[in-house]
Amino acid sequence: MVACQCLGPSETGKTTVLKQLKLMYGIKGLETERQTYRRVVHLNVMRAIQALMEGLQDANIPLEKEENVHNLEILSDSLEAESDMFTDVVPVIKALWADAGIQTTFQTITHLHIQDSAKYFLDHIDRVANPEYIPTDNDILQARVKTLAVSEHIFNIDNVVYRIFDVGGQKSLRKYWAPYFDDVNAIIFMAALSAYDQPCEEDPKLNRLQECLVLFNEIANHKLFTMTSMILFLNKIDIFQRKLDAGSLVSRHFPEYRGPNDYHTTTVFFQYRFLQQCKDMQKQVYTHFTHATDTNQMRVIVVAVNTIVQRLNLSSSGLL
């Protein structure tokens, strides 16, 4: 059995990778949790429009339609009351999402602390608001739920049994990681490239990707992981690309970067910055640029990772 830990800060995609493994290799796929995600999706929609409203107001972006000023007030009151009024406010959410002011906020204010699936769910609000709505596999992959405890999962991937731990990434939860470090064969470290222009939720003065680099340094150089396979997922490349296209400059947040603001050059820069964190220059870090909600891409990557882990395990056992 291969013991594997999926580590990284919060909102980097760790649980999404686990959902993909359930979908591809789990006995029941995502069926056991499908109904519970209906409520999660509705909350995700509410949080998405709330973040956009706050961004619009902070940036003093005007709403296109005058009636949406009133809609903004209605929705603000509903959110403050923290009541379960999703169905009642769906027409208001639709009207605001269609407003040019909200669209400008979404497209231009790239540092907003907004969930990655905001556009996906807001574009599908009629479907998810239907009384007969049952979340699809893709809905579950897109939905965001904070991981607050350590969970263990067993998967058989091409006749190799994996024991994978999913852990919460918030700073307050990282103290619970240590008991699971013993006898780990592989670490999958998740980093969200799209966080390069965002502050940490827990410490707004700290850049989220800078904080991720610090954490990777701690994990990559940990004494218990000297012989552990290290796999780095530089995730959320789709959102990273969208931010670059919107004009969010990498050099503004990483002044040491002097290159063009294009996808290829910036991803090479960030890969190098992560690999720089390893003090042992001989330690191999296997890097993948990932879009964790893309099942087809993740299927290819999981096969590649499985091959790497098998080869390294055989090598460390002296059988290769």
Side-chain angles (χ1 to χ4, degrees):
M1 181 181 289
V2 175
C4 179
Q5 271 211 355
C6 194
L7 302 177
S10 60
E11 298 183 58
T12 51
K14 299 185 297 297
T15 302
T16 304
V17 169
L18 184 66
K19 291 178 194 173
Q20 290 282 22
L21 291 173
K22 287 180 181 178
L23 188 60
M24 291 184 272
Y25 300 101
I27 296 172
K28 296 183 179 179
L30 298 171
E31 291 308 315
T32 56
E33 51 207 289
R34 194 171 301 280
Q35 286 297 337
T36 62
Y37 268 91
R38 175 188 170 92
R39 168 70 173 155
V40 170
V41 168
H42 290 173
L43 286 172
N44 279 191
V45 172
M46 296 288 277
R47 287 171 184 158
I49 199 68
Q50 180 181 23
L52 288 166
M53 287 162 49
E54 290 172 355
L56 175 125
Q57 292 169 328
D58 290 345
N60 292 316
I61 296 173
L63 287 162
E64 176 191 28
K65 297 181 179 177
E66 191 173 335
E67 61 265 32
N68 279 334
V69 175
H70 180 57
N71 284 332
L72 198 71
E73 294 173 356
I74 293 172
L75 198 52
S76 295
D77 291 341
S78 299
L79 291 166
E80 284 179 14
E82 295 186 352
S83 57
D84 189 3
M85 297 176 62
F86 177 74
T87 304
D88 296 336
V89 296
V90 164
V92 174
I93 295 173
K94 285 179 63 177
L96 286 169
W97 177 237
D99 193 280
I102 289 288
Q103 287 295 318
T104 298
T105 302
F106 176 74
Q107 292 163 13
T108 60
I109 305 180
T110 58
H111 63 271
L112 269 180
H113 192 82
I114 186 170
Q115 62 204 45
D116 304 321
S117 58
K119 182 178 182 345
Y120 174 83
F121 284 127
L122 287 167
D123 282 347
H124 290 86
I125 191 165
D126 284 331
R127 178 173 63 84
V128 304
N130 189 303
E132 304 299 317
Y133 168 63
I134 297 174
T136 64
D137 287 346
N138 200 36
D139 292 345
I140 296 172
L141 289 172
Q142 296 282 349
R144 162 73 179 148
V145 183
K146 278 189 177 181
T147 303
L148 299 175
V150 177
S151 58
E152 179 183 346
H153 305 269
I154 305 294
F155 298 102
N156 187 318
I157 302 177
D158 297 334
N159 297 318
V160 178
V161 178
Y162 282 80
R163 182 186 182 204
I164 299 179
F165 297 99
D166 183 30
V167 298
Q170 297 96 323
K171 281 186 177 181
S172 60
L173 298 177
R174 292 175 198 168
K175 59 188 175 185
Y176 301 113
W177 293 2
Y180 301 90
F181 284 177
D182 291 336
D183 302 319
V184 170
N185 304 106
I187 296 286
I188 296 176
F189 188 92
M190 303 286 299
L193 283 184
S194 59
Y196 74 95
D197 62 352
Q198 290 179 291
C200 288
E201 189 174 12
E202 298 155 310
D203 181 2
K205 295 180 181 178
L206 185 62
N207 178 281
R208 279 181 62 192
L209 198 53
Q210 289 281 15
E211 194 257 348
C212 193
L213 283 161
V214 171
L215 181 58
F216 182 69
N217 183 298
E218 294 174 10
I219 296 299
N221 299 304
H222 198 288
K223 61 183 180 181
L224 290 178
F225 299 146
T226 304
M227 303 301 293
T228 302
S229 305
M230 194 66 62
I231 299 151
L232 174 64
F233 281 10
L234 297 178
N235 193 32
K236 305 193 179 184
I237 55 173
D238 54 321
I239 300 162
F240 179 65
Q241 178 74 73
R242 177 175 68 80
K243 288 187 172 187
L244 295 179
D245 293 343
S248 179
L249 298 175
V250 169
S251 58
R252 180 180 176 185
H253 306 279
F254 288 79
E256 69 272 28
Y257 179 68
R258 297 281 192 267
N261 209 55
D262 64 69
Y263 177 84
H264 175 73
T265 317
T266 52
T267 50
V268 169
F269 165 74
F270 282 122
Q271 180 180 8
Y272 176 70
R273 290 287 284 110
F274 273 93
L275 296 183
Q276 270 187 316
Q277 305 307 310
C278 287
K279 294 176 182 176
D280 180 3
M281 301 301 292
Q282 302 302 312
K283 189 176 183 69
Q284 182 74 51
V285 177
Y286 299 89
T287 308
H288 295 271
F289 293 95
T290 58
H291 176 183
T293 55
D294 183 336
T295 302
N296 290 330
Q297 192 220 33
M298 288 307 299
R299 184 175 284 112
V300 173
I301 288 173
V302 168
V303 170
V305 168
N306 185 39
T307 301
I308 290 167
V309 171
Q310 285 190 64
R311 187 174 71 245
L312 291 173
N313 282 347
L314 287 172
S315 179
S316 63
S317 301
L319 299 174
L320 189 66

